Amino acid sequence: MNQNDRTNQLEQQISSINSEYVRSVEKKKKRQQAQRVRLYRRLSVFGLLAIAVIGFLVHSLVSSQQTLANKKATHVEVEQVLTETLDHKESLELEIAKLNDDEYIGKLLRKDYFLSEENELIFTLPKDKEEDKSGE
C-alpha cells in the first residue's frame, strides 16, 4: 500500500478529541483561512483597479502624444504658408512702391502698351529671331 493510504487509515481509526482547545484551534484556522481569502480578494480588486487606472493613463498619454504630433505637423504647414504669404506681401509692397513712381509707370506703359510721349519712337526687337540664330 501507499504511504498516503496508510495515513488515511490511521486518521480514520483515531478518533478526534472534542475538547474546547481543539475547537478553538479549528475556529482560529477557519478565521485565518477566511481572512486570507478576503485578503486575496481585496488585493485582486485593488490590482484590477490599479491596472484600469494605469491603462486609462497610458491611453490618455498616447492620445495626447498623437494630438501633439498632429498639431506640430499643422504648425509646420501653417508656418510654411505664412512664410510664402509674407514673401508675396513683400513683393506686392515693392510693386506698389514701384507703381507710385511716375517713371516706372511710364516705362511700363511704353514696354507693354507701346504708348509713347510726344515725338518719341518705340522700336521693339523680336526675341524669337535671337533664339533661332542661337539654335542653328
Side-chain angles (χ1 to χ4, degrees), residues 8-110:
N8 286 338
Q9 285 177 357
L10 286 175
E11 287 178 1
Q12 288 175 358
Q13 290 175 357
I14 300 173
S15 63
S16 63
I17 302 173
N18 242 353
S19 70
E20 187 67 31
Y21 174 74
V22 172
R23 281 183 272 165
S24 68
V25 169
E26 287 176 0
K27 282 184 181 181
K28 186 176 180 182
K29 283 184 181 180
K30 285 182 183 180
R31 268 190 268 128
Q32 286 177 346
Q33 184 65 25
Q35 285 179 346
R36 191 174 295 138
V37 168
R38 285 192 300 264
L39 174 68
Y40 288 142
R41 286 181 184 165
R42 281 193 308 260
L43 288 176
S44 298
V45 169
F46 179 72
L48 290 174
L49 276 173
I51 289 172
V53 168
I54 290 171
F56 175 73
L57 293 175
V58 167
H59 174 68
S60 298
L61 179 67
V62 168
S63 65
S64 65
Q65 289 282 344
Q66 289 174 344
T67 304
L68 181 63
N70 291 339
K71 289 191 184 229
K72 281 185 179 180
T74 305
H75 181 68
V76 168
E77 292 174 6
V78 168
E79 280 187 346
Q80 289 175 350
V81 170
L82 177 65
T83 304
E84 292 171 2
T85 305
L86 290 176
D87 291 342
H88 185 65
K89 179 185 174 191
E90 288 177 11
S91 67
L92 289 176
E93 287 176 351
L94 182 62
E95 187 71 25
I96 289 172
K98 286 181 182 178
L99 288 174
N100 286 332
D101 185 19
D102 289 336
E103 290 179 21
Y104 178 76
I105 292 174
K107 183 180 173 185
L108 189 65
L109 288 173
R110 282 187 211 99

